[in-house]
Amino acid sequence: MVIVMKPGAPQEIIEKIEKKMISLGCEVHKSQGENYCLLGLVGDTRKINPSQIEANPYVEKLLRVQHPFKLASKLFHPEDSIIEVDGVKIGGGNITIMAGPCSVESEDQLMTIAYAVKKEGAHMLRGGAYKPRTSPYSFQGMQEEGLKLLKKAKEGTGMPIVTEVMGQDTFDVVEEYADILQIGARNMQNFSLLKRCGKSTRPILLKRGLSATIEELLMSAEYIMANGNPNVILCERGIRTFETYTRNTLDLSAVPVIKELSHLPIIIDPSHATGKWSMVEPLSKASIAVGADGLIIEVHHQPECALSDGAQSLKPEKFARLMRSIEKIAAIK
Amino acid sequence: MVIVMKPGAPQEIIEKIEKKMISLGCEVHKSQGENYCLLGLVGDTRKINPSQIEANPYVEKLLRVQHPFKLASKLFHPEDSIIEVDGVKIGGGNITIMAGPCSVESEDQLMTIAYAVKKEGAHMLRGGAYKPRTSPYSFQGMQEEGLKLLKKAKEGTGMPIVTEVMGQDTFDVVEEYADILQIGARNMQNFSLLKRCGKSTRPILLKRGLSATIEELLMSAEYIMANGNPNVILCERGIRTFETYTRNTLDLSAVPVIKELSHLPIIIDPSHATGKWSMVEPLSKASIAVGADGLIIEVHHQPECALSDGAQSLKPEKFARLMRSIEKIAAIK
Amino acid sequence: MVIVMKPGAPQEIIEKIEKKMISLGCEVHKSQGENYCLLGLVGDTRKINPSQIEANPYVEKLLRVQHPFKLASKLFHPEDSIIEVDGVKIGGGNITIMAGPCSVESEDQLMTIAYAVKKEGAHMLRGGAYKPRTSPYSFQGMQEEGLKLLKKAKEGTGMPIVTEVMGQDTFDVVEEYADILQIGARNMQNFSLLKRCGKSTRPILLKRGLSATIEELLMSAEYIMANGNPNVILCERGIRTFETYTRNTLDLSAVPVIKELSHLPIIIDPSHATGKWSMVEPLSKASIAVGADGLIIEVHHQPECALSDGAQSLKPEKFARLMRSIEKIAAIK
Amino acid sequence: MVIVMKPGAPQEIIEKIEKKMISLGCEVHKSQGENYCLLGLVGDTRKINPSQIEANPYVEKLLRVQHPFKLASKLFHPEDSIIEVDGVKIGGGNITIMAGPCSVESEDQLMTIAYAVKKEGAHMLRGGAYKPRTSPYSFQGMQEEGLKLLKKAKEGTGMPIVTEVMGQDTFDVVEEYADILQIGARNMQNFSLLKRCGKSTRPILLKRGLSATIEELLMSAEYIMANGNPNVILCERGIRTFETYTRNTLDLSAVPVIKELSHLPIIIDPSHATGKWSMVEPLSKASIAVGADGLIIEVHHQPECALSDGAQSLKPEKFARLMRSIEKIAAIK
């Protein structure tokens, strides 16, 4: 951490801050320039409350050196984490494909899609039972009924289940049925929910918020890990930009960035990122080429009848083609 | 709603969509151009699921005409809503000042600040007991202990209390102590929490999300209202932009926009918007000049010792000066 | 400047960098932490090429301490600059109102509007002769003919002229007619044009780019100043955000920020910021309340016939009301 | 185009607008809903000035149906454009690699790099002679001297040259030496420069602006094409987002979007997009996988001595590895 004092900061104030920092257990190295005085802090800076330093009217700014996450950091855990769910491995060089409908709509719909994606090589089944919708008047999901159907689909196909948990009130029931619990982009900084995830025995699929930085995503992973659950899978699903032709902008550079910063697996959701089925295949190929650990893809046999997100759902035959494309790219990595 | 068909869409597909729309209760007006065919839909469009239309590969796009909110809309409720809490009125031409510390830290701290802001004319006391923090290692608030101190401060000063509620697990206890429940920016689209707010008898202070549009803010208000609670106060607290000198960018144009679109009161939080105490006074003046219904301001008698957000807290004497400035502007409106 | 070395950077590499920095005239202060080694640089850091340091694979990052602008900086020029044009003063506590049509369209149109805004107290006449349009098929301005009309309007009303210069090819002719040369938002980082502005004897009204930071705006001012022209007036005209109800988002916090960082005057363009005439008056009032040095406002007597930007133009009677509102706010400052 | 009238708009105003639109050559289809009245316009809408319609206080908004570009549009030119420069083809399924230093710095530097990238299979040589720099105090390029060196490198290696042109004052000289003229991101809406490009006989490499939408990029291409030059190559080089770990965020979804909307070739600049050499290879692979027509990559044999952008320059051996990676991906497309 580096404290930059304002030009003209009185010597006694600078000394007072130095003493305070030393008393908190830091070493302080002062560099006095013509205009600015810098205080370089090394040692254990965890006891420092940055807000209190910045509140000093003679402090220009605080420059941070170290990333604020530890458990999620590659620095302290250099090997890639591999998360295993019912025999499916995520991370560590494996490419894991999660596929299924946006929402569970009926037994017939779910079974048709589940068997179709299984046949093409998907490893896990996705499907929403509790749906976060921008409008209170939109379909909110089949709820527990949907969870029961997911369980049935798992029994039939053998694929483990990933489904979203939206709040603490429904956490226990979702946890009972799901193999991986998904936290949606809009809940990425719902800290109460993250703490609850920390107490869960299920792995968490944590989606990046719409305008979140990668550091903020990793801090949300840190919340879960610091509360007791080390099994976090990160998911890039597009960020909000000024571009309107796609729903969001898929940030594929997040993959090599996260590989530098963290040991956690990172998967890509090209369906929500683009909002258009025609863009899912090219961006899936790019995702594998850039080094992602997997994909989560929306598939529906009748997109025009889907209760949500039909425009971004692939029909099973398009999903089949996509699987063949990415296999070839995965093979040459 | 207007459906734009892709150039070259077959006539039979267009007719099929027309019939479907008529069967859902709409009137359809077709305009066939050289390249594009437009279907203008009027009547009751609520039964239309836009996602299903957009999933049709011959549909270019869907253009929405009407705002998706109703209960929050000025169109259906032309008079300004006034929300009354313990004799304090918010909205309808009143200017309401909420002030207090970022976090409740101790009885002594809270009482000192509460009496100080009361003396300068604040109408309500703000103070966080449950704190949403980006890092799991930061101070998380005094929790129920903090709520008890807020109650004591209310008994002493007579000011009603506004404090944040972070999740469903602590909703009941916060509801018991607080007069207004604040929903933080990061929870603006925590739909489970919004539904719970809809069941509450307390007014809700709903903060705009960091990258939320005004329509999304009003849709979140609609969630609360559609679930039974009509008393929503909107709060602009700065949005995320590329500017780094301020913490966020205060969007003061949101005030006249919301006055055009909605009947709900809108207040401004200049403290979180800027992150710097030196900017709070000028932006407070601008907020009153632009027509806001009030302000929520962080005040601390010892910012350098504040456990959170010291850099943006006003000392009581600066708060006093701010109150005198805005009174003059309010007087000439 | 602070160089942060990567964890594990070899001692010899650190020493090599230290020596290099010393050879360039800096003092170097090393702080060795458990993971990171910091090199604090003070003294004359101008000869350092940050790109070369960052290219070192053992360098984690570079933290800048000082702002990169000098001539535009308040640190080196603490008193506010006042720019005088034909007796009109801009900056230093004066409030200057520039008003007129978006585009010069005809003699009749320009004269009508010029006399109308003069009557209500405007100090300068704005009007575009060369128009930057997103589409090559839109009206591109009356060009030199328009400049001649502006000159005529100046002779009639006595108001100096502010008009946009779009390129080097038309610089000389615009410079001949205009009193202040406006650089549009999309040209804020057109460095060839900025250099040409530096050679001009006319003051420059420099608009902030659509997604520019305030530091970038000040660096563009620095370009003009470093090339010989000290007379730069900054203009905030809204930045691009995700909000779509307004054309851009007016960043009024830019005013106190620029007052902290620079001595240059800052004026506000609420017309382009919002794109809607109904928002111009409230945001003009807020602009004056927040401390801006003036306004530039679009006025048209027949907005429905305007060749550009009709939707954001005030009719003269609305402009009159606006002038009365802001006078009251200016009086109490 | 669809005009949405405000609720309560008088019938006579609606009729007046209808008549006006008919007089301009459009067909008008009216849909009267409970609250809103829609006017669907088909036929030749080019004579309509949207600004004049939006200036009508009874108009709620205007919904556009058609893209505003024509010459750049796939609708009117369904086959991919192929641009040929000295035997090198860009577009139409070819993958073209442009490589070289950020800036031309010396004959020795340029020749070393030029022969190195030629050896690994690059098709064209990039190198900046006129450099757009944020600071007036940074290295501004070798200018005409640099152009002469580029010509020499072309003579030696046989590779055609791509280099940036920054303004009208230096256009003629750059045009004389360069085979492709690059327009930088910050000049994407420098309309005077775009018009000049329209008069050039050289193909133009047009970079997307930092916060530009794809439609705006295509409108800038349209400017060049409408002024006479059909040979435009688009370049995605990262857009500004809130992420700070990378310099910009590479928008790879722009590739399939542009393939849907336009016939122009689109190449990717992963060097400027990320600002970090370690990210160039993975994003280059993703670019080819997503369907880009080529890459433009910065290479330097001594990045630590580069006068600009050293941190994002690949050493020749890393460039060699990258070429082998992308060849494999290109092969399986």
Side-chain angles (χ1 to χ4, degrees), chain B residues 40-315:
Chain B
L41 310 183
V42 291
D44 183 3
T45 56
R46 276 176 306 173
K47 286 187 196 146
I48 299 174
N49 184 332
S51 162
Q52 293 179 340
I53 299 174
E54 288 174 321
N56 189 311
Y58 291 106
V59 168
E60 172 96 4
K61 59 183 164 184
L62 209 66
L63 303 171
R64 263 180 15 190
V65 169
Q66 210 151 347
H67 291 293
F69 46 86
K70 290 220 145 96
L71 302 172
S73 169
K74 193 152 201 163
L75 185 58
F76 302 107
H77 186 308
E79 321 77 39
D80 280 356
S81 283
I82 299 175
I83 293 166
E84 199 169 333
V85 186
D86 273 359
V88 176
K89 286 178 182 168
I90 303 160
N94 298 287
I95 289 179
T96 311
I97 309 300
M98 306 171 184
C102 178
S103 300
V104 178
E105 298 169 5
S106 70
E107 178 164 352
D108 186 46
Q109 173 248 22
L110 185 63
M111 292 302 162
T112 305
I113 298 170
Y115 280 101
V117 301
K118 168 76 179 173
K119 178 165 160 267
E120 301 306 337
H123 307 97
M124 294 193 70
L125 179 64
R126 63 146 292 148
Y130 295 87
K131 298 298 302 171
R133 304 302 299 273
T134 309
S135 167
Y137 311 119
S138 299
F139 173 58
Q140 307 277 318
M142 288 183 75
Q143 319 223 349
E144 191 167 356
E145 202 54 41
L147 294 174
K148 285 179 185 162
L149 293 178
L150 284 167
K151 193 184 170 191
K152 204 160 178 177
K154 180 186 178 182
E155 287 164 1
T157 63
M159 288 188 291
I161 297 302
V162 53
T163 197
E164 177 157 353
V165 58
M166 283 181 64
Q168 292 137 287
D169 51 344
T170 52
F171 205 99
D172 292 350
V173 64
V174 179
E175 199 177 29
E176 189 190 324
Y177 287 95
D179 297 292
I180 295 184
L181 301 174
Q182 178 183 314
I183 298 297
R186 288 170 180 77
N187 271 331
M188 191 199 87
Q189 291 189 319
N190 175 344
F191 301 115
S192 298
L193 188 59
L194 296 181
K195 285 183 188 172
R196 178 64 187 84
C197 287
K199 309 289 177 219
S200 177
T201 55
R202 304 290 189 191
I204 307 297
L205 179 72
L206 178 66
K207 291 197 155 190
R208 182 180 180 184
L210 274 79
S211 69
T213 63
I214 293 169
E215 185 175 294
E216 289 170 334
L217 173 62
L218 289 171
M219 282 310 286
S220 288
E222 188 86 5
Y223 248 94
I224 299 169
M225 298 169 92
N227 279 280
N229 186 350
N231 296 313
V232 179
I233 303 153
L234 305 171
C235 180
E236 160 65 33
R237 44 76 73 207
I239 51 175
R240 190 166 268 196
T241 69
F242 305 128
E243 182 53 50
T244 54
Y245 196 79
T246 46
R247 177 141 66 152
N248 296 286
T249 294
L250 186 62
D251 177 9
L252 282 182
S253 55
V255 173
V257 170
I258 286 171
K259 294 288 171 199
E260 281 187 16
L261 296 177
S262 181
H263 53 90
L264 297 173
I266 162 84
I267 70 165
I268 302 292
D269 176 349
S271 307
H272 283 89
T274 62
K276 294 197 166 153
W277 67 264
S278 64
M279 312 243 150
V280 172
E281 185 180 334
L283 287 164
S284 294
K285 289 160 70 179
S287 300
I288 300 304
V290 89
D293 296 303
L295 297 167
I296 181 162
I297 290 177
E298 290 190 358
V299 176
H300 200 290
H301 61 305
Q302 292 173 313
E304 296 174 47
C305 302
L307 293 180
S308 57
D309 283 350
Q312 71 199 35
S313 294
L314 289 184
K315 289 193 184 179

Side-chain angles (χ1 to χ4, degrees), chain B residues 252 281-290 325-326 329 332, chain C residues 95 252 255-256 282-292 295 325-326 329-330 332-333:
Chain B
L252 282 182
E281 185 180 334
L283 287 164
S284 294
K285 289 160 70 179
S287 300
I288 300 304
V290 89
S325 299
I326 62 173
I329 291 176
I332 61 161
Chain C
I95 288 178
L252 283 182
V255 174
L283 286 164
S284 293
K285 289 159 69 179
S287 300
I288 300 305
V290 87
L295 298 167
S325 298
I326 62 173
I329 291 176
I332 60 161
K333 273 175 69 172

Side-chain angles (χ1 to χ4, degrees), chain A residues 128-149:
Chain A
Y130 295 87
K131 298 298 303 171
R133 304 303 298 271
T134 310
S135 167
Y137 310 121
S138 298
F139 173 59
Q140 308 277 317
M142 287 183 77
Q143 319 222 350
E144 191 168 354
E145 202 54 40
L147 294 174
K148 286 179 185 162
L149 293 178

Side-chain angles (χ1 to χ4, degrees), chain D residues 28 31 34 63 70 75 96 103 130 141 150 163 169 178 181 198 263 285 302 306:
Chain D
V28 183
S31 317
E34 201 183 337
L63 303 172
K70 289 216 144 97
L75 184 59
T96 312
S103 300
Y130 295 87
L150 284 167
T163 196
D169 51 345
L181 301 173
H263 53 90
K285 289 160 69 179
Q302 293 173 313

